[in-house]
Amino acid sequence: MKIVCIGGGPAGLYFGLLMKQLNPAHDITVVERNKPYDTFGWGVVFSDATMDNMRAWDSETADEIQQAFNHWDDIELLFKGRTIRSGGHGFVGIGRKKLLNILQARCERLGVRLEFEREVDSDDDYPDADLIIASDGINLKIRGKYADVFRPDIVTRPNRYIWLGTNKLYDAFTFDFRKTEHGWFQAHIYKFDATTTTFIVECPEHVWLAHGLDRADAQQSVEFCERLFADNLQGAKLMTNARHLRGSAWLNFQRVVCDQWWLKAPPGGSAAVPRGGSGRPAEPDRPGNRRRSYIVLMGDAVHTAHFAIGSGTKLALEDAIELTRQFGRLGDSPEHIEAVLAAYQEARRIETLRLQNAAWNAMEWFEVCGARYCDQLEPEQFMYSMLTRSQRISHENLRLRDRAWLEGYERWFAERARRRAAGPPQGAAAPSGGCEDRGGAATAAWGPRFAPMLTPYTVRSVTLKNRVVVSPMAQYSAVDGVPGDYHLVHLGARAMGGAGLVFAEMTCTSPDARITPGCPGLWNDAQTAAWKRIVDWVHTNSDARIAIQLGHAGAKGSTNAPWEDAGADRPLPAGNWPLVAPSPQPYLDDGAIPQPMTRAQMDAVRDDFVAATRRAAAAGFDWLELHCAHGYLLSAFISPLTNRRTDDYGGSLANRLRWPLEVFAAMRAAWPEHLPMSVRISAHDWVEGGITPVDAVEIARAFKAAGADLIDCSSGQVSAQQQPTYGRMYQTPFADRIRQEAGIATIAVGAISEADHVNSIIAAGRADLCAIARPHLANPAWTLTEAAKIGCAEIAWPKQYRTAKPQLEAGFAREKALAAQAAAPQEPAR
Ligand SMILES: Cc1cc2nc3c(=O)[nH]c(=O)nc-3n(C[C@H](O)[C@H](O)[C@H](O)COP(=O)(O)OP(=O)(O)OC[C@H]3O[C@@H](n4cnc5c(N)ncnc54)[C@H](O)[C@@H]3O)c2cc1C
Ligand SMILES: Cc1cc2nc3c(=O)[nH]c(=O)nc-3n(C[C@H](O)[C@H](O)[C@H](O)COP(=O)(O)O)c2cc1C
């Protein structure tokens, strides 16, 4: 086959040499516009795992690279005058020039033709090629020419960065954060050979502009950075090798994702679109035409990964490996190209997206750290937050990397939590119940392991023994709004299961505030007495605290229980009640149309909330939450998707919040001063034109000003058109953002399913509490189970259950030992 790689970066060169190795008969040329030793950039890093992969494919190249590598384990943070270091991170760094030279030399030895100083204008320059590898990096000409086929999605990110070098040597991957009069800068610093270190400086666009760096040339920019990091550089100079760049040497990162990775190029015309990437020919070749060549994107041309995760080169090299692998598997002759390219795209797309997502999280962390973390977090927690920025490195993963550092941090965190929780303030009820007595709630459930999940948390007079919350979950099992034995057993079991706070489900303020006929209420004495029975039971038999969530269904009321044939949110077939909402808009297109509320109705509903609040206090609840999420009445006032009013309660966010805040303030005045109140909001409507996390920060600020103690950060269910992006801990970024930007404590919720998740969230300060819903349906003793799973024996069990504790712990310990044994390298059989 005749193969031309346009662009002699890591992707083009590595593919060239691997293919030549696969079959020396291939005629392979790599065309590069630069000279062999002329390249932009300094060092690149990649992980040990990438090296292992390369070694399996070409040990000679891998050995050469390995020898040229600088290997280091530590990450060091320089922040607010402190130096914090943790180990076990396993990076390798190499000069980009060195890497390219090794690949170039290997290409030449294998017989790959290298053409330097040749700028390729178009694939038409190679009419007789069977396959063109478009490996010409981010500013790709060919991707642009066939943009309608490749459908690139290019997002230009807001931060500015400059890629510099220095001869000062560092023995750790170093992050240095500096505050100026206009905002924060950060440097990403890593040594890559015996004499040189990469020094990337990054800041938000507004900080860059405020310093006039848009008008600075490369030399002036270097001098600025030298002044900024003078005490770190200690006289060493910074260097740029991007003097060839016109204008500013400060760049914006571009995130590239392509829908389609390859095409069949026609002779001079427009490209044939492969059908759904299936590998079938889009059009047959016509006799007399010149042979059609195939074009395939590789490396930065098809995807980019931000340097915050240091994986661009890894992705480029792994693309080259995968394409070679598919040729080896399916056949390396022209008739197989199409099937090979389809298989290559299939294999690489998902893996690449996964890595790009992690890179995106890491990139965003650096984009927002100045506004969100630098001024808010103490150095220890800042370090933890930075290390877990991609959300791929979890708490237990950090323990594997550097146990001593993590355990030191756990102690630091637990000590602070203990100090904050120390001694219940005046007026608080002493913790009681059937748990082992280890000195009260503040110290009941944390011990030598100091798991962040098990640290206490105090708000007003209430001290929770740990950070786990049983999230409110409607059970639709009340009769006439009265919670019965079902609720006693359901909530009682969860209170014995180890969580610090147990929420009862959304409880309605009047009969026509209910979602379904089975929803519980708090509008009469029978309901108050029934709730009191449950609350008393929880207080007598456990040291969990119990919360109630008050809500009004609004337009989503008068519906079936979800297990009825018609399904959730469908109107009741009979016995409906009239619905009210901010505007006459049904939740489902064919749902019942609610009545837009009059001011008199708003007064009446507000008073219902206040009356229910008084009843909740009389029933003895420890905690009250106002439900302003999920499209129910108050949420519907807040979202512009459901509130179309033109009076004082519609229009701007301030207007839309007016009545929910009025309800909240009236409840706060009726609720005992020493008890906490939280507000659950939908922090994202997941619909164009709806509430966004930016609005959520404003909403949180408004409730904070009205006296809310915490914001419970849920999302969605406001519009049936929502398009949420689900995933592990997918709503936690909202809790994080609100906590740091609005300065109020938060509850994270949504797909938090392991102790490791809770520990990571709490330790990083992304939230103060974690609400766990569905896992608590499967396992009422979720907290006890998860604590045993992570080997934390210090948690107190209900006295009646204690005999099960060592058995469960031993079972998990055995499982762990077996898994470790299975993962350990086996002695070869002789
Ligand atoms: C500041 C910064 C730091 C980075 N740090 C890391 C890191 O630590 N680890 C990591 O893995 N990655 C890092 N990267 C990313 C990494 O540099 C790229 O992802 C990687 O080089 C991609 O390889 P590639 O072969 O696809 O493209 P490139 O390396 O960009 O190579 C493309 C080549 O094509 C040539 N070319 C372009 N157009 C033409 C044309 N028309 N004709 C002929 N030749 C052409 C170019 O001159 C270039 O040599 C970093 C990137 C930046 C910007
Ligand atoms: C059966 C069920 C009932 C729910 N009822 C409520 C409710 O009454 N009030 C509320 O705010 N959220 C309710 N939710 C949402 C949960 O509290 C939680 O936010 C959501 O399930 C995501 O958490 P998870 O991933 O841990 O399940 C309910 C969820 C489930 C599964």
Side-chain angles (χ1 to χ4, degrees), residues 1-3 19 25-28 130-131 327 331-334 337:
M1 285 196 297
K2 189 170 167 55
I3 300 172
M19 264 314 266
H26 294 315
D27 172 353
I28 304 176
D130 296 294
L131 177 63
F327 272 118
D332 60 333
S333 52
I337 293 179

Side-chain angles (χ1 to χ4, degrees), residues 34 37-44 94-98 100 161-166 190 192-193 196-200 239-245 251:
N34 290 334
Y37 294 98
D38 178 16
T39 180
F40 169 60
W42 298 92
V44 293
I94 185 168
R96 180 174 156 96
K97 276 187 199 176
K98 182 73 188 169
L100 293 185
Y161 69 90
I162 185 167
W163 200 355
L164 302 172
T166 176
Y190 48 96
F192 63 86
D193 66 24
T196 338
T197 294
T198 297
F199 203 106
I200 303 169
M239 309 176 278
T240 171
N241 63 4
R243 291 185 207 284
H244 60 282
L245 292 180
L251 307 173

Side-chain angles (χ1 to χ4, degrees), residues 79-80 373-379 381-382 385 739-740 764:
F79 183 58
K80 296 181 180 169
Y373 307 115
C374 290
D375 292 317
Q376 290 81 347
L377 302 183
E378 294 181 65
Q381 193 163 43
F382 188 83
S385 176
R739 187 175 189 270
Q740 318 308 344

